[in-house]
Protein backbone atom coordinates (compact mmCIF):
# COMPACT_ATOMS: atom_id res chain seq x y z
CA UNK A 1 0.00 0.00 0.00
CA UNK A 2 1.37 3.36 -1.00
CA UNK A 3 2.11 5.60 1.94
CA UNK A 4 0.24 8.87 2.20
CA UNK A 5 2.15 12.03 1.42
CA UNK A 6 2.65 14.67 4.08
CA UNK A 7 0.30 16.94 2.16
CA UNK A 8 -2.46 14.31 2.22
CA UNK A 9 -1.84 13.55 5.88
CA UNK A 10 -2.17 17.23 6.72
CA UNK A 11 -5.36 17.48 4.67
CA UNK A 12 -6.92 14.40 6.33
CA UNK A 13 -5.94 15.64 9.76
CA UNK A 14 -7.46 19.03 8.92
CA UNK A 15 -10.70 17.34 7.77
CA UNK A 16 -10.92 15.18 10.91
CA UNK A 17 -10.34 18.21 13.07
CA UNK A 18 -13.05 20.12 11.20
CA UNK A 19 -15.46 17.19 11.61
CA UNK A 20 -14.78 17.04 15.33
CA UNK A 21 -15.07 20.81 15.67
CA UNK A 22 -18.30 20.84 13.63
CA UNK A 23 -19.75 18.06 15.79
CA UNK A 24 -18.94 19.98 18.96
CA UNK A 25 -20.38 23.20 17.53
CA UNK A 26 -23.54 21.41 16.35
CA UNK A 27 -24.03 19.75 19.74
CA UNK A 28 -23.53 23.09 21.46
CA UNK A 29 -26.01 24.80 19.09
CA UNK A 30 -28.51 22.02 19.65
CA UNK A 31 -28.14 22.21 23.41
CA UNK A 32 -28.40 25.99 23.51
CA UNK A 33 -31.24 25.98 20.99
CA UNK A 34 -33.19 23.33 22.91
CA UNK A 35 -32.71 25.16 26.19
CA UNK A 36 -33.69 28.49 24.65
CA UNK A 37 -36.66 26.99 22.81
CA UNK A 38 -37.90 25.31 26.01
CA UNK A 39 -37.68 28.59 27.87
CA UNK A 40 -39.44 30.52 25.11
CA UNK A 41 -42.16 27.88 24.87
CA UNK A 42 -42.80 27.98 28.61
CA UNK A 43 -42.92 31.77 28.55
CA UNK A 44 -45.36 31.74 25.64
CA UNK A 45 -47.53 29.15 27.44
CA UNK A 46 -47.61 31.11 30.69
CA UNK A 47 -48.30 34.36 28.83
CA UNK A 48 -51.20 32.82 26.88
CA UNK A 49 -52.78 31.39 30.03
CA UNK A 50 -52.35 34.76 31.76
CA UNK A 51 -54.02 36.61 28.89
CA UNK A 52 -56.98 34.20 28.83
CA UNK A 53 -57.36 34.47 32.62
CA UNK A 54 -58.42 38.08 32.15
CA UNK A 55 -61.19 37.04 29.79
CA UNK A 56 -63.19 34.86 32.16
CA UNK A 57 -65.35 35.83 35.18
CA UNK A 58 -68.37 34.92 37.26
CA UNK A 59 -71.38 37.06 36.57
CA UNK A 60 -74.69 36.46 38.33
CA UNK A 61 -73.41 33.15 39.62
CA UNK A 62 -72.58 32.12 36.11
CA UNK A 63 -69.13 31.52 34.57
CA UNK A 64 -68.76 33.83 31.62
CA UNK A 65 -66.03 33.26 28.96
CA UNK A 66 -65.32 36.34 26.89
CA UNK A 67 -65.47 36.32 23.13
CA UNK A 68 -61.80 37.31 22.98
CA UNK A 69 -60.79 34.10 24.83
CA UNK A 70 -58.23 32.28 22.63
CA UNK A 71 -58.64 28.49 22.69
CA UNK A 72 -55.75 27.84 20.30
CA UNK A 73 -53.03 29.99 18.81
CA UNK A 74 -49.42 29.32 17.79
CA UNK A 75 -49.51 25.76 19.11
CA UNK A 76 -50.91 26.70 22.56
CA UNK A 77 -54.24 25.16 23.65
CA UNK A 78 -56.32 26.53 26.53
CA UNK A 79 -59.17 25.12 28.66
CA UNK A 80 -61.41 26.71 31.30
CA UNK A 81 -62.48 24.72 34.38
CA UNK A 82 -65.03 25.76 37.00
CA UNK A 83 -64.53 25.32 40.71
CA UNK A 84 -65.72 21.73 40.45
CA UNK A 85 -63.11 20.87 37.85
CA UNK A 86 -65.58 20.67 34.96
CA UNK A 87 -64.50 21.85 31.53
CA UNK A 88 -66.50 24.90 30.55
CA UNK A 89 -64.68 26.09 27.44
CA UNK A 90 -61.61 25.91 25.23
CA UNK A 91 -60.02 22.97 23.45
CA UNK A 92 -57.12 20.51 23.65
CA UNK A 93 -55.84 17.93 21.13
CA UNK A 94 -56.42 14.97 23.43
CA UNK A 95 -59.07 14.17 26.06
CA UNK A 96 -56.35 13.00 28.44
CA UNK A 97 -55.26 16.61 28.82
CA UNK A 98 -58.76 17.37 30.22
CA UNK A 99 -58.67 14.52 32.69
CA UNK A 100 -55.27 15.36 34.18
CA UNK A 101 -55.72 16.61 37.73
CA UNK A 102 -55.52 20.37 38.19
CA UNK A 103 -52.43 21.46 40.05
CA UNK A 104 -51.26 24.98 40.46
CA UNK A 105 -47.55 25.44 40.14
CA UNK A 106 -44.75 25.58 37.57
CA UNK A 107 -44.91 24.23 34.05
CA UNK A 108 -44.76 20.44 34.03
CA UNK A 109 -44.50 17.67 31.46
CA UNK A 110 -47.19 15.14 30.59
CA UNK A 111 -46.91 12.22 28.15
CA UNK A 112 -50.06 11.19 26.28
CA UNK A 113 -49.87 8.25 23.86
CA UNK A 114 -46.16 8.82 23.36
CA UNK A 115 -46.62 12.54 22.76
CA UNK A 116 -44.99 14.90 25.26
CA UNK A 117 -46.83 18.04 26.36
CA UNK A 118 -46.06 20.98 28.57
CA UNK A 119 -49.03 21.99 30.72
CA UNK A 120 -49.58 24.94 33.01
CA UNK A 121 -52.51 25.42 35.42
CA UNK A 122 -53.53 28.83 36.79
CA UNK A 123 -56.16 29.25 39.52
CA UNK A 124 -58.19 32.48 39.65
CA UNK A 125 -60.13 33.52 42.75
CA UNK A 126 -63.16 35.20 41.24
CA UNK A 127 -65.75 36.39 43.77
CA UNK A 128 -64.74 33.71 46.23
CA UNK A 129 -65.10 31.08 43.57
CA UNK A 130 -62.21 29.38 41.78
CA UNK A 131 -61.66 29.36 38.04
CA UNK A 132 -58.91 27.23 36.51
CA UNK A 133 -57.19 28.03 33.24
CA UNK A 134 -55.09 25.23 31.74
CA UNK A 135 -52.65 25.75 28.92
CA UNK A 136 -51.00 22.95 26.94
CA UNK A 137 -48.45 22.83 24.16
CA UNK A 138 -46.86 19.87 22.38
CA UNK A 139 -43.11 19.37 22.89
CA UNK A 140 -42.81 18.53 19.20
CA UNK A 141 -43.85 22.06 18.50
CA UNK A 142 -40.71 23.29 20.22
CA UNK A 143 -38.53 22.07 17.34
CA UNK A 144 -40.56 23.76 14.67
CA UNK A 145 -38.74 27.05 15.13
CA UNK A 146 -35.32 25.42 15.31
CA UNK A 147 -35.85 22.89 12.51
CA UNK A 148 -34.81 25.43 9.91
CA UNK A 149 -31.68 26.24 11.86
CA UNK A 150 -30.72 22.58 12.20
CA UNK A 151 -31.41 21.98 8.52
CA UNK A 152 -29.18 24.90 7.58
CA UNK A 153 -26.44 23.60 9.88
CA UNK A 154 -26.64 20.08 8.43
CA UNK A 155 -26.33 21.49 4.91
CA UNK A 156 -23.64 24.06 5.62
CA UNK A 157 -21.30 21.88 7.73
CA UNK A 158 -20.43 19.37 4.93
CA UNK A 159 -19.92 22.27 2.54
CA UNK A 160 -17.66 24.02 5.01
CA UNK A 161 -15.68 20.82 5.61
CA UNK A 162 -15.28 20.30 1.85
CA UNK A 163 -14.13 23.88 1.37
CA UNK A 164 -11.75 23.52 4.34
CA UNK A 165 -10.33 20.28 2.89
CA UNK A 166 -9.74 21.86 -0.53
CA UNK A 167 -8.25 24.98 1.03
CA UNK A 168 -6.11 22.89 3.38
CA UNK A 169 -4.86 20.74 0.50
CA UNK A 170 -3.88 23.79 -1.54
CA UNK A 171 -2.35 25.52 1.49
CA UNK A 172 -0.39 22.40 2.45
CA UNK A 173 0.91 22.10 -1.10
CA UNK A 174 2.01 25.73 -1.13
CA UNK A 175 3.52 25.48 2.34
CA UNK A 176 5.45 22.29 1.55
CA UNK A 177 6.70 23.56 -1.80
CA UNK A 178 9.98 24.85 -0.25
CA UNK A 179 10.63 21.34 1.10
CA UNK A 180 10.39 19.93 -2.43
CA UNK A 181 12.80 22.65 -3.58
CA UNK A 182 15.20 21.75 -0.73
CA UNK A 183 15.02 18.04 -1.57
CA UNK A 184 15.48 18.64 -5.30
CA UNK A 185 18.45 20.96 -4.78
CA UNK A 186 20.10 18.56 -2.33
CA UNK A 187 19.62 15.70 -4.79
CA UNK A 188 21.09 17.74 -7.66
CA UNK A 189 24.08 18.70 -5.48
CA UNK A 190 24.57 15.04 -4.59
CA UNK A 191 24.44 13.96 -8.23
CA UNK A 192 26.61 16.75 -9.62
CA UNK A 193 29.02 17.07 -6.68
CA UNK A 194 28.80 20.85 -7.08
CA UNK A 195 29.06 22.08 -3.49
CA UNK A 196 28.97 25.72 -4.58
CA UNK A 197 25.23 25.49 -5.25
CA UNK A 198 22.80 26.76 -2.64
CA UNK A 199 19.11 26.36 -1.92
CA UNK A 200 17.16 29.45 -3.04
CA UNK A 201 15.44 31.15 -0.10
CA UNK A 202 12.65 33.70 0.15
CA UNK A 203 12.65 36.44 2.74
CA UNK A 204 9.63 35.47 4.86
CA UNK A 205 11.80 34.11 7.67
CA UNK A 206 9.54 31.16 8.53
CA UNK A 207 10.66 27.73 9.76
CA UNK A 208 11.23 26.41 6.23
CA UNK A 209 13.34 29.47 5.47
CA UNK A 210 15.40 28.65 8.55
CA UNK A 211 15.65 25.01 7.43
CA UNK A 212 16.92 26.08 4.01
CA UNK A 213 19.43 28.35 5.74
CA UNK A 214 20.59 25.42 7.88
CA UNK A 215 21.10 23.27 4.77
CA UNK A 216 22.99 26.09 3.03
CA UNK A 217 25.29 26.48 6.03
CA UNK A 218 25.83 22.73 5.98
CA UNK A 219 26.73 22.88 2.28
CA UNK A 220 29.10 25.77 3.01
CA UNK A 221 30.77 23.69 5.72
CA UNK A 222 31.02 20.70 3.39
CA UNK A 223 32.48 22.93 0.69
CA UNK A 224 35.04 24.34 3.13
CA UNK A 225 35.95 20.86 4.32
CA UNK A 226 36.26 19.59 0.76
CA UNK A 227 38.38 22.56 -0.25
CA UNK A 228 40.46 22.10 2.90
CA UNK A 229 41.07 18.48 1.94
CA UNK A 230 42.12 19.48 -1.55
CA UNK A 231 44.29 22.26 -0.15
CA UNK A 232 45.82 19.89 2.41
CA UNK A 233 46.64 17.37 -0.32
CA UNK A 234 48.07 20.08 -2.55
CA UNK A 235 50.08 21.71 0.23
CA UNK A 236 51.38 18.43 1.58
CA UNK A 237 52.44 17.15 -1.85
CA UNK A 238 54.10 20.48 -2.66
CA UNK A 239 55.99 20.73 0.63
CA UNK A 240 56.96 17.07 0.71
CA UNK A 241 58.27 17.10 -2.84
CA UNK A 242 61.62 18.68 -1.96
CA UNK A 243 62.54 16.49 1.04
CA UNK A 244 61.46 13.36 -0.82
CA UNK A 245 63.53 14.39 -3.83
CA UNK A 246 66.47 15.07 -1.53
CA UNK A 247 66.14 11.68 0.18
CA UNK A 248 65.96 9.86 -3.17
CA UNK A 249 68.92 11.81 -4.53
CA UNK A 250 71.02 11.05 -1.42
CA UNK A 251 70.09 7.36 -1.61
CA UNK A 252 71.09 7.20 -5.29
CA UNK A 253 74.34 9.00 -4.52
CA UNK A 254 75.11 6.63 -1.65
CA UNK A 255 74.47 3.58 -3.82
CA UNK A 256 76.49 4.81 -6.77
CA UNK A 257 79.23 7.07 -5.38
CA UNK A 258 79.76 6.62 -1.63
CA UNK A 259 83.34 5.56 -1.06
CA UNK A 260 83.56 5.14 2.69
CA UNK A 261 81.79 5.06 6.04
CA UNK A 262 82.19 8.78 6.68
CA UNK A 263 80.48 9.66 3.42
CA UNK A 264 77.72 7.14 4.12
CA UNK A 265 77.16 8.60 7.59
CA UNK A 266 76.94 12.06 6.05
CA UNK A 267 74.31 10.87 3.52
CA UNK A 268 72.36 9.10 6.27
CA UNK A 269 72.46 12.29 8.34
CA UNK A 270 70.99 14.28 5.43
CA UNK A 271 68.28 11.66 5.00
CA UNK A 272 67.48 11.78 8.74
CA UNK A 273 67.18 15.58 8.67
CA UNK A 274 64.84 15.46 5.70
CA UNK A 275 62.81 12.69 7.36
CA UNK A 276 62.44 14.75 10.52
CA UNK A 277 61.41 17.74 8.44
CA UNK A 278 58.77 15.62 6.72
CA UNK A 279 57.53 14.37 10.10
CA UNK A 280 57.34 17.91 11.47
CA UNK A 281 55.53 19.08 8.34
CA UNK A 282 52.91 16.31 8.47
CA UNK A 283 52.30 16.84 12.20
CA UNK A 284 51.95 20.59 11.70
CA UNK A 285 49.58 20.10 8.77
CA UNK A 286 47.41 17.69 10.74
CA UNK A 287 47.30 20.01 13.75
CA UNK A 288 46.45 22.98 11.59
CA UNK A 289 43.71 21.11 9.69
CA UNK A 290 42.13 19.94 12.95
CA UNK A 291 42.14 23.50 14.23
CA UNK A 292 40.77 24.86 10.97
CA UNK A 293 37.94 22.31 10.85
CA UNK A 294 37.26 22.64 14.60
CA UNK A 295 37.83 18.91 15.11
CA UNK A 296 40.68 19.39 17.56
CA UNK A 297 39.71 18.88 21.19
CA UNK A 298 40.02 22.12 23.13
CA UNK A 299 39.92 22.17 26.92
CA UNK A 300 38.48 25.54 27.90
CA UNK A 301 38.92 26.63 31.51
CA UNK A 302 39.55 29.77 33.51
CA UNK A 303 43.29 30.48 33.25
CA UNK A 304 45.68 33.09 34.61
CA UNK A 305 46.71 34.62 31.31
CA UNK A 306 49.25 36.93 32.95
CA UNK A 307 51.13 33.98 34.43
CA UNK A 308 50.95 32.03 31.16
CA UNK A 309 52.34 34.91 29.05
CA UNK A 310 55.11 35.52 31.59
CA UNK A 311 56.04 31.82 31.60
CA UNK A 312 56.19 31.58 27.80
CA UNK A 313 58.37 34.71 27.58
CA UNK A 314 60.74 33.36 30.21
CA UNK A 315 61.07 30.11 28.24
CA UNK A 316 61.70 31.86 24.93
CA UNK A 317 64.01 34.71 25.95
CA UNK A 318 67.16 32.57 26.05
CA UNK A 319 66.90 31.27 22.47
CA UNK A 320 70.36 31.73 20.88
CA UNK A 321 69.14 33.51 17.75
CA UNK A 322 70.91 36.60 16.37
CA UNK A 323 71.63 37.93 19.88
CA UNK A 324 68.06 39.26 20.06
CA UNK A 325 66.72 40.51 23.42
CA UNK A 326 63.20 39.53 24.53
CA UNK A 327 61.35 41.61 27.14
CA UNK A 328 57.75 41.58 28.34
CA UNK A 329 55.25 43.97 29.91
CA UNK A 330 52.42 41.99 31.48
CA UNK A 331 49.47 43.47 33.32
CA UNK A 332 48.90 41.31 36.42
CA UNK A 333 45.67 39.50 37.22
CA UNK A 334 44.38 39.12 33.65
CA UNK A 335 42.22 36.02 33.42
CA UNK A 336 40.14 34.48 30.63
CA UNK A 337 38.44 31.24 29.66
CA UNK A 338 40.73 29.49 27.19
CA UNK A 339 42.78 26.41 26.31
CA UNK A 340 46.12 27.14 27.97
CA UNK A 341 48.07 24.81 25.66
CA UNK A 342 46.74 26.46 22.50
CA UNK A 343 47.26 29.99 23.80
CA UNK A 344 50.84 29.10 24.71
CA UNK A 345 51.37 27.66 21.24
CA UNK A 346 49.94 30.79 19.62
CA UNK A 347 52.25 33.07 21.62
CA UNK A 348 55.26 30.81 20.99
CA UNK A 349 54.62 30.92 17.23
CA UNK A 350 54.48 34.74 17.30
CA UNK A 351 57.69 35.00 19.32
CA UNK A 352 59.61 32.52 17.15
CA UNK A 353 58.36 34.32 14.06
CA UNK A 354 59.76 37.55 15.53
CA UNK A 355 63.11 35.81 16.21
CA UNK A 356 63.20 34.35 12.72
CA UNK A 357 62.72 37.66 10.94
CA UNK A 358 64.39 39.94 13.51
CA UNK A 359 67.63 41.72 12.90
CA UNK A 360 70.96 40.89 14.50
CA UNK A 361 71.17 42.38 18.00
CA UNK A 362 67.52 43.41 17.80
CA UNK A 363 64.72 43.53 20.34
CA UNK A 364 61.34 41.80 20.81
CA UNK A 365 58.71 43.08 23.22
CA UNK A 366 55.65 41.07 24.35
CA UNK A 367 52.83 42.94 26.07
CA UNK A 368 49.56 41.91 27.73
CA UNK A 369 46.86 44.38 28.77
CA UNK A 370 43.16 44.48 29.52
CA UNK A 371 40.78 47.35 28.77
CA UNK A 372 37.21 46.86 29.98
CA UNK A 373 36.06 43.66 28.20
CA UNK A 374 38.98 43.40 25.76
CA UNK A 375 42.24 41.53 26.29
CA UNK A 376 45.18 42.48 24.06
CA UNK A 377 48.36 40.49 23.42
CA UNK A 378 51.02 42.11 21.21
CA UNK A 379 54.39 40.88 19.94
CA UNK A 380 56.57 43.65 18.45
CA UNK A 381 59.98 43.35 16.81
CA UNK A 382 62.41 45.69 15.04
CA UNK A 383 63.30 43.25 12.30
CA UNK A 384 63.07 43.26 8.52
CA UNK A 385 59.35 44.09 8.37
CA UNK A 386 56.83 43.02 5.74
CA UNK A 387 56.11 44.52 2.36
CA UNK A 388 52.65 46.10 2.02
CA UNK A 389 51.56 43.69 -0.71
CA UNK A 390 52.42 40.74 1.54
CA UNK A 391 50.44 41.87 4.61
CA UNK A 392 47.15 40.34 3.41
CA UNK A 393 48.80 36.99 2.57
CA UNK A 394 51.06 36.17 5.47
CA UNK A 395 48.31 34.25 7.34
CA UNK A 396 47.81 31.88 4.40
CA UNK A 397 49.18 28.38 4.72
CA UNK A 398 52.77 27.97 3.44
CA UNK A 399 52.99 31.59 2.39
CA UNK A 400 56.43 33.11 2.82
CA UNK A 401 57.45 36.40 1.33
CA UNK A 402 60.60 36.26 -0.82
CA UNK A 403 62.52 38.56 1.48
CA UNK A 404 61.59 36.45 4.48
CA UNK A 405 62.78 33.30 2.74
CA UNK A 406 66.13 34.90 2.15
CA UNK A 407 66.56 35.49 5.85
CA UNK A 408 65.17 32.13 6.96
CA UNK A 409 65.88 29.59 4.32
CA UNK A 410 64.66 26.18 5.43
CA UNK A 411 63.84 27.31 8.95
CA UNK A 412 60.06 27.63 8.73
CA UNK A 413 57.18 25.66 7.28
CA UNK A 414 54.91 28.65 6.63
CA UNK A 415 52.21 27.36 9.01
CA UNK A 416 52.99 29.32 12.19
CA UNK A 417 50.94 32.45 11.46
CA UNK A 418 48.10 30.43 9.97
CA UNK A 419 47.93 28.49 13.22
CA UNK A 420 47.98 31.75 15.20
CA UNK A 421 44.92 32.94 13.30
CA UNK A 422 43.04 29.66 13.81
CA UNK A 423 43.81 29.53 17.55
CA UNK A 424 42.66 33.14 17.94
CA UNK A 425 39.44 32.41 16.02
CA UNK A 426 38.79 29.33 18.16
CA UNK A 427 38.86 31.66 21.20
CA UNK A 428 36.61 34.26 19.48
CA UNK A 429 39.60 36.54 18.98
CA UNK A 430 41.08 38.46 16.06
CA UNK A 431 44.70 38.81 14.97
CA UNK A 432 46.12 41.76 13.03
CA UNK A 433 49.54 43.04 11.97
CA UNK A 434 51.15 46.42 11.34
CA UNK A 435 54.52 46.54 9.64
CA UNK A 436 56.91 48.60 7.56
CA UNK A 437 59.91 47.23 5.63
CA UNK A 438 63.11 47.69 7.57
CA UNK A 439 61.31 48.98 10.71
CA UNK A 440 59.80 45.82 12.19
CA UNK A 441 56.35 44.33 12.73
CA UNK A 442 53.75 44.21 15.49
CA UNK A 443 51.32 41.30 15.70
CA UNK A 444 48.28 41.94 17.89
CA UNK A 445 45.68 39.45 19.13
CA UNK A 446 42.51 40.87 20.70
CA UNK A 447 40.06 38.74 22.71
Amino acid sequence: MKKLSIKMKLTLWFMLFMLLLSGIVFAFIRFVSASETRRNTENALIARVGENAQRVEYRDEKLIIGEDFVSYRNGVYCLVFNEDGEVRGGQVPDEALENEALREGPVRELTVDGEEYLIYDLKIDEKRRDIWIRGAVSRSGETIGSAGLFRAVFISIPLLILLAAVGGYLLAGQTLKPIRVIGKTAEEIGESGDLTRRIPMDENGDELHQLAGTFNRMFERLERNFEAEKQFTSDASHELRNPIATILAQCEYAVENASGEDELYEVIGDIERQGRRMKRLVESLLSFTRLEQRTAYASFEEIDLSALVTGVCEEQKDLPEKDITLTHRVEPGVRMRADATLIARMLTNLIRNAYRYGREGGHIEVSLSKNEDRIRIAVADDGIGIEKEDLSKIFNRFYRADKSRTYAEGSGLGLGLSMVREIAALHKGEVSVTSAPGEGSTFTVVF
Side-chain angles (χ1 to χ4, degrees), residues 33 59 94 117 138 141 310 338 413:
S33 176
R59 190 184 304 163
D94 195 290
Y117 291 90
S138 173
T310 300
L413 297 173

Side-chain angles (χ1 to χ4, degrees), residues 380-397:
D381 66 68
D382 54 4
I384 64 174
I386 306 169
E387 296 289 345
K388 185 177 181 180
E389 60 269 18
D390 294 324
L391 285 175
S392 61
K393 306 172 186 177
I394 59 174
F395 292 103
N396 296 340
R397 283 191 293 187

Side-chain angles (χ1 to χ4, degrees), residues 391-419:
L391 285 175
S392 61
K393 306 172 186 177
I394 59 174
F395 292 103
N396 296 340
R397 283 191 293 187
F398 299 112
Y399 184 82
R400 286 169 294 205
D402 290 338
K403 185 178 291 188
S404 297
R405 267 188 209 165
T406 302
Y407 282 84
E409 186 64 39
S411 60
L413 297 173
L415 289 173
L417 293 180
S418 299
M419 199 164 291

